[in-house]
Amino acid sequence: MTRVFSGIQPTGHLTLGNYLGAMRRWAEVDQHRADSVFCVVDLHALTVDHDPARVRRLSRQTATLLLAAGLDPEVCTVFLQSHVDEHTRLSYLLECVATDGEMRRMIQYKEKSAKERERGGSVRLSLLTYPVLMAADILAYGTDEVPVGHDQAQHVELARDLAVRFNQRYGYAFVVPKATLPQVAARVMNLQDPTSKMGKSDESGAGVVYLLDEPDVVRKKVMRAVTDSGRDVVYDRQEKPGLANLLEILAACEGRDPEELSGAYDSYGALKKDAADAVVEVLRPLQERHRELCADPAYVEGVLRAGAEKAREMARPTVDAAYRAIGLLAP
Ligand code: AQP
């Protein structure tokens, strides 16, 4: 059976981009067709300046939202990365296979380290090595497919390269994974700056729809989305990125095609109104389920504990075999 692995960082409140680009597919498609493993990658949240209490709070909230989005612990495995030591054990081995140049070429590293320097902060070494830990997350589970949004495709490519290199030098140890991207909404853009990704660590949040935003807040944000000059509703990512983003969001929410949808509108206002309504409707059941789960934190904790146990069993043989293959003696 195909093994699917994907993760999500508790670095901020989850966004519509996380949901349409990744979580919805995990819940609606992947967990039902594959042996699926989903992880709150809390160690990754320590790669930038962080507040321990906030990471704890967001880790719980992220796990709760994954379940609220429809991940079913009866059919898939859900857990926190830091509860399964195999991730960091394997990460070190992969650091011995990866190169410094490879790490410095990662787009997210360039962007996030530049932002950190602009703020006058220092760049953590773990930000540079984070893609190796992500490769370990993926390779430890013999993963075939990694369903991610477009921004993570380069990191999955690195995991592939490291798997191939390790296998060639030290003998076969890892399945070589591939990224799978959604057909629509692979890159949901910021509503106030449609040339930037809608990200959870955005400072202002005005162009970001958070999964727990109240309906009137969602409506306001979508109605205030920056659109482009002109009046025609056409789907053109290069020339009209604001409009294209709204069309893609509406298309993703309603399971339609953005190009086809553009023909149905003759004003920006009508498109915004429908997009706002569609987002509110997509978020409604998720928010309701989230409220229910928040009333039962022991259930969520139990799911995470059982998930970690299952994940450990899955990962240990692969990681142990990699330790032997690279030249380390069994204890
Ligand atoms: N805007 C987006 N459009 C489509 N997919 C997206 N994803 C994130 N943002 C968008 C996908 O969500 C999954 C989990 O993302 P992550 O937690 O690994 O963090 P990230 O990719 O770094 O995304 P964020 O939310 O934007 O965090 P920050 O702002 O901290 O960098 C991934 O599959 C990702 O592709």
Side-chain angles (χ1 to χ4, degrees):
M1 195 177 195
T2 303
R3 170 69 53 81
V4 160
F5 175 93
S6 206
I8 193 153
Q9 302 185 57
T11 37
H13 297 285
L14 299 192
T15 73
L16 185 66
N18 294 127
Y19 183 69
L20 296 179
M23 294 159 68
R24 185 172 65 167
R25 237 175 352 133
W26 303 349
E28 291 181 359
V29 184
D30 295 317
Q31 67 172 347
H32 301 297
R33 72 172 177 91
D35 179 5
S36 300
V37 181
F38 300 110
C39 182
V40 177
V41 284
D42 49 358
L43 297 172
H44 292 300
L46 312 184
T47 56
V48 286
D49 189 31
H50 78 283
D51 165 27
R54 185 167 187 264
V55 170
R56 269 179 227 119
R57 210 170 45 245
L58 288 173
S59 296
R60 266 189 217 105
Q61 187 188 78
T62 303
T64 309
L65 277 168
L66 288 181
L67 300 177
L71 292 192
D72 177 356
E74 298 294 320
V75 297
C76 68
T77 307
V78 186
F79 66 102
L80 298 182
Q81 182 191 31
S82 64
H83 291 179
V84 179
D85 291 343
E86 272 58 35
H87 295 241
T88 44
R89 282 182 68 214
L90 181 55
S91 182
Y92 180 72
L93 289 202
L94 296 178
E95 280 186 23
C96 301
V97 175
T99 68
D100 175 66
E102 231 165 10
M103 293 301 103
R104 292 184 196 279
R105 280 199 294 277
M106 294 291 126
I107 295 164
Q108 267 207 6
Y109 172 70
K110 287 190 199 162
E111 288 177 357
K112 288 193 175 176
S113 59
K115 224 188 238 174
E116 203 63 47
R117 286 192 188 98
E118 255 169 45
R119 277 205 295 255
S122 48
V123 178
R124 294 183 181 181
L125 180 59
S126 55
L127 185 66
L128 182 65
T129 56
Y130 139 76
V132 179
L133 178 57
M134 178 169 159
D137 300 338
I138 296 167
L139 299 184
Y141 294 93
T143 302
D144 300 291
E145 293 178 14
V146 191
V148 284
H150 186 266
D151 61 317
Q152 288 294 344
Q154 192 189 28
H155 292 159
V156 180
E157 202 51 43
L158 175 79
R160 279 176 71 83
D161 291 347
L162 297 183
V164 169
R165 200 175 303 154
F166 191 105
N167 289 348
Q168 278 171 353
R169 284 197 196 155
Y170 305 114
Y172 183 81
F174 301 118
V175 174
V176 180
K178 68 166 198 272
T180 57
L181 303 180
Q183 284 178 340
V184 199
R187 195 165 163 78
V188 178
M189 308 306 273
N190 187 301
L191 296 171
Q192 288 300 313
D193 173 11
T195 56
S196 305
K197 182 185 85 161
M198 183 184 283
K200 57 175 120 65
S201 30
D202 181 79
E203 263 156 32
S204 105
V208 179
V209 173
Y210 297 102
L211 298 185
L212 295 177
D213 276 347
E214 296 288 338
D216 58 329
V217 175
V218 173
R219 286 207 170 83
K220 254 187 221 140
K221 286 180 177 174
V222 177
M223 294 307 288
R224 286 183 189 158
V226 167
T227 36
D228 315 278
S229 54
R231 288 164 162 269
D232 296 340
V233 180
V234 287
Y235 179 56
D236 183 338
R237 260 203 170 275
Q238 294 304 319
E239 299 298 320
K240 300 204 166 197
L243 213 50
N245 192 33
L246 287 170
L247 284 165
E248 286 190 11
I249 289 172
L250 177 58
C253 289
E254 298 195 337
R256 296 170 67 184
D257 175 66
E259 179 92 57
E260 207 178 281
L261 267 177
S262 65
Y265 290 93
D266 51 17
S267 82
Y268 290 1
L271 169 63
K272 282 183 175 177
K273 185 177 173 308
D274 282 1
D277 288 344
V279 173
V280 167
E281 284 317 307
V282 157
L283 296 186
R284 190 189 306 280
L286 183 147
Q287 295 183 349
E288 276 169 19
R289 182 77 185 119
H290 179 260
R291 264 192 296 277
E292 287 165 16
L293 288 165
C294 284
D296 192 359
Y299 167 77
V300 177
E301 271 172 36
V303 166
L304 295 177
R305 231 188 343 265
E309 217 163 286
K310 214 165 119 195
R312 232 173 273 127
E313 295 305 310
M314 286 184 207
R316 195 174 292 138
T318 305
V319 177
D320 283 349
Y323 264 67
R324 302 292 85 79
I326 206 168
L328 301 169
L329 291 172

